[in-house]
Amino acid sequence: MKKTFSILIVLFVSLTIAGFTTSDKLQGKKVVATYTEFTDNGQFMFTDANNKQLLFDEVSEDVEIDLYDDANIGKKFTITWEEEEVEVYDEEGEPTGDMQTIRRITSLEEA
């Protein structure tokens, strides 16, 4: 019984630590990518060196580069972003009870 209890405690502590590590990885991600377009869905699309497309939903107010300006399309940027869980709302502005992960650019510098 003590052995089972000890194993459960070790497992609980391990999972707790793993959970903190995972949530830390969601914050402050960084990549160098080329700005491709502002999509019809209202997202900012970038393409990295491996041709992987990255979509961002928001830009922090601290970012001084205007991604709505077409002059920035084709430029390479160093992007730092964070992911956040937000509540989804319907057409009437009522919460649906669903959650969605969004990506917010927190820092943007021309590379």
Side-chain angles (χ1 to χ4, degrees):
M1 182 68 176
K2 279 187 172 184
K3 185 176 181 179
T4 305
F5 184 72
S6 297
I7 291 172
L8 287 175
I9 289 177
V10 169
L11 182 61
F12 176 75
V13 170
S14 298
L15 290 174
T16 303
I17 292 171
F20 285 122
T21 304
T22 303
S23 64
D24 289 345
K25 288 180 183 176
L26 294 177
Q27 301 297 322
K29 293 182 178 184
K30 193 177 236 184
V31 68
V32 175
T34 302
Y35 182 44
T36 309
E37 67 177 318
F38 182 72
T39 69
D40 292 336
N41 295 332
Q43 295 175 305
F44 303 97
M45 182 186 295
F46 290 80
T47 305
D48 70 6
N50 297 324
N51 256 358
K52 180 181 175 187
Q53 292 181 338
L54 304 165
L55 294 171
F56 299 94
D57 303 287
E58 296 179 358
V59 178
S60 172
E61 292 178 6
D62 299 335
V63 174
E64 295 181 7
I65 296 172
D66 182 9
L67 292 178
Y68 295 104
D69 185 354
D70 288 343
N72 288 315
I73 293 177
K75 291 184 179 179
K76 191 177 285 191
F77 294 96
T78 301
I79 308 159
T80 304
W81 79 92
E82 63 186 11
E83 293 179 343
E84 180 181 351
E85 289 278 323
V86 295
E87 193 166 11
V88 177
Y89 293 86
D90 63 17
E91 295 83 25
E92 288 85 36
E94 297 294 321
T96 63
D98 295 331
M99 299 297 282
Q100 175 183 5
T101 302
I102 64 163
R103 289 182 177 176
R104 179 182 302 112
I105 297 173
T106 57
S107 174
L108 188 65
E109 298 173 3
E110 200 166 338

